[in-house]
Amino acid sequence: MNTAVLKNLKKFPLHLLFWIVVWFFFSSFFSVGSKNENFIFWFSSILSTIAIASSYVFVFHLIPNFLIAKKHWQFMLYAFYAGIFIVCAVLMTVVFGFVFFYNLEFQQMPALTKNSGVILVCVLLIIVLTSAFKILKDTYKSLDEKKTLENKFLKTQLQLKEQELKFLKMQIHPHFLFNTLNTLYGFALKKSEKAPEMILKLSSLLDYILYQVDKPLVLLQDEIGHIEDYVSLEKFRFQERLQITFNKDLIGEKLEIPPMLLLPFVENAFKHGTQIDGVLAVNINLKVDENELDVTIENTAKNNENSKKGIGLENIKKRLEMLHPKKHFLEISQEEKVFKVNLKIPIKNEA
């Protein structure tokens, strides 16, 4: 059986109960001053029929097809026609009682049943109540559907953000590993005794990338530890040609940040830095102020040397927009012989 039909059948008992209550209202109200039960029965039944027909015309046709559809002029026109029908039907009901039950003796009719204005108000009251209930129900349903659609849209957006974030991480990892493996390859060719130590540090970085980076947050201390491993690898590569300072101020043990958030900036300093007078200078400063992490990374670079930053910094910008929308500060500047990155992000204390 059709779903709509089954839905309407379930509502039938409630509708029937409502109209029985309406009939009793008409019967009780218009029986005042009358002992003619037969007349009151038929009079109430006819008024109930008018109310039922008019209400369903408004509820199932005029309101959904014109009022809710914002066809206001058409709704007003058809409502006017319906009003004429209701007035005529009420007047005919009064005439029906006057002719068939009181033998044209108008004065014998109960006062309320011969007052067309009172009868019309009672019928219109029922129609207004049913129409108002329909409008409120449709409004609530519309708001509920809108909320459901918004939730679905937000859920879809969140899934897309997560997929984009995973894609950005996938881009960062090969980019970082390519540079590190190049360094290790150079030492292997030279058969350097430092190659085993480099492999150990690289394995630690690989463990971080493969098993920790999918977590939403990691300890800031862990991120710093892997930055130090990376810096050690670069020290092996540059030897005396590298001058580096790494300052860590007020770094708590329980502070957390998204993984691989700082490492790409450090990597960029080494990859795109320029040796001035035979030395590459890199300065890294980390400072925690209340619930904010302030990171400054500087490296020597000739003008326009860092204009092409590769995919690393561009991806990290996108990650920051997704992770901390409008809550982070990132400034990248090129001064004379110095390339500078300043990042400020909110941090979470695990404790």
Side-chain angles (χ1 to χ4, degrees):
M1 190 178 289
N2 193 302
T3 306
V5 175
L6 285 172
K7 191 175 180 180
N8 289 329
L9 285 175
K10 290 180 180 179
K11 294 179 180 179
F12 178 76
L14 290 175
H15 284 233
L16 180 62
L17 178 63
F18 174 78
W19 292 118
I20 289 173
V21 171
V22 169
W23 185 89
F24 274 107
F25 164 72
F26 285 147
S27 178
S28 301
F29 184 76
F30 291 110
S31 65
V32 176
S34 175
K35 296 180 179 180
N36 191 335
E37 295 181 358
N38 193 32
F39 165 70
I40 295 299
F41 173 82
W42 284 105
F43 190 80
S44 302
S45 298
I46 294 172
L47 288 184
S48 296
T49 302
I50 296 170
I52 290 171
S54 302
S55 296
Y56 283 145
V57 167
F58 274 90
V59 167
F60 292 111
H61 183 63
L62 297 185
I63 291 175
N65 294 332
F66 298 104
L67 184 61
I68 294 177
K70 296 184 179 180
K71 299 177 181 179
H72 298 127
W73 286 109
Q74 288 174 281
F75 174 78
M76 292 172 64
L77 178 63
Y78 288 121
F80 176 73
Y81 292 155
I84 293 175
F85 164 78
I86 295 167
V87 171
C88 292
V90 167
L91 291 175
M92 290 178 65
T93 304
V94 175
V95 172
F96 169 77
F98 171 63
V99 172
F100 291 98
F101 287 92
Y102 288 94
N103 299 320
L104 302 179
E105 294 181 9
F106 188 72
Q107 296 300 325
Q108 298 297 320
M109 290 181 66
L112 292 176
T113 60
K114 61 184 179 183
N115 190 328
S116 302
V118 174
I119 300 170
L120 186 61
V121 168
C122 290
V123 173
L124 289 177
L125 177 64
I126 301 302
I127 297 170
V128 169
L129 287 174
T130 55
S131 299
F133 178 77
K134 171 65 175 177
I135 293 171
L136 288 174
K137 182 182 176 182
D138 284 354
T139 302
Y140 175 79
K141 184 179 179 182
S142 177
L143 290 173
D144 188 55
E145 288 176 350
K146 183 181 179 181
K147 187 176 180 181
T148 302
L149 286 173
E150 286 178 351
N151 288 337
K152 287 183 179 179
F153 176 73
L154 290 174
K155 186 177 180 181
T156 303
Q157 251 190 344
L158 181 60
Q159 289 174 343
L160 289 174
K161 291 284 187 182
E162 289 175 349
Q163 291 300 320
E164 186 176 356
L165 186 57
K166 288 180 180 179
F167 176 70
L168 293 177
K169 286 179 180 179
M170 288 172 65
Q171 283 185 312
I172 292 171
H173 300 170
H175 182 68
F176 164 71
L177 289 174
F178 177 78
N179 295 330
T180 307
L181 288 172
N182 265 351
T183 303
L184 182 57
Y185 177 70
F187 272 84
L189 287 177
K190 297 176 184 178
K191 297 181 180 180
S192 172
E193 295 179 355
K194 297 177 180 178
E197 185 180 349
M198 291 183 66
I199 292 173
L200 185 63
K201 291 183 180 295
L202 180 59
S203 67
S204 175
L205 286 170
L206 285 173
D207 177 76
Y208 182 59
I209 292 172
L210 294 175
Y211 300 107
Q212 305 296 323
V213 80
D214 286 333
K215 295 179 179 179
L217 295 171
V218 295
L219 290 174
L220 177 57
Q221 290 284 11
D222 289 345
E223 179 87 357
I224 291 173
H226 291 95
I227 290 175
E228 290 174 336
D229 285 342
Y230 177 79
V231 169
S232 296
L233 291 172
E234 293 293 1
K235 283 181 179 178
F236 286 132
R237 181 162 70 99
F238 281 93
Q239 300 294 321
E240 294 81 9
R241 293 176 290 117
L242 176 63
Q243 179 184 330
I244 184 165
T245 57
F246 192 175
N247 298 317
K248 304 177 285 293
D249 186 16
L250 303 176
I251 304 300
E253 295 182 357
K254 299 297 183 178
L255 298 178
E256 293 182 322
I257 63 168
M260 288 288 288
L261 194 63
L262 306 181
L263 195 53
F265 289 113
V266 177
E267 177 199 10
N268 184 78
F270 284 95
K271 181 181 179 184
H272 298 287
T274 306
Q275 296 181 34
I276 304 295
D277 297 327
V279 176
L280 171 63
V282 178
N283 298 318
I284 305 170
N285 294 285
L286 304 181
K287 182 179 180 180
V288 174
D289 184 11
E290 294 184 353
N291 293 321
E292 183 180 72
L293 174 63
D294 189 343
V295 182
T296 302
I297 301 173
E298 297 178 345
N299 62 271
T300 52
K302 294 180 181 178
N303 290 342
N304 300 322
E305 189 74 21
N306 279 63
S307 59
K308 184 179 179 182
K309 307 177 188 68
I311 65 172
L313 288 186
E314 291 304 315
N315 286 341
I316 208 66
K317 286 179 183 179
K318 292 179 181 179
R319 279 192 72 195
L320 285 167
E321 286 296 331
M322 287 189 286
L323 293 169
H324 303 290
K326 299 181 180 180
K327 294 181 180 179
H328 72 279
F329 171 81
L330 176 62
E331 182 181 52
I332 300 175
S333 59
Q334 173 75 62
E335 301 173 3
E336 186 178 358
K337 297 183 180 181
V338 176
F339 184 77
K340 182 178 179 181
V341 174
N342 182 222
L343 171 67
K344 296 178 182 179
I345 57 170
I347 53 176
K348 181 179 179 182
N349 194 323
E350 190 187 44

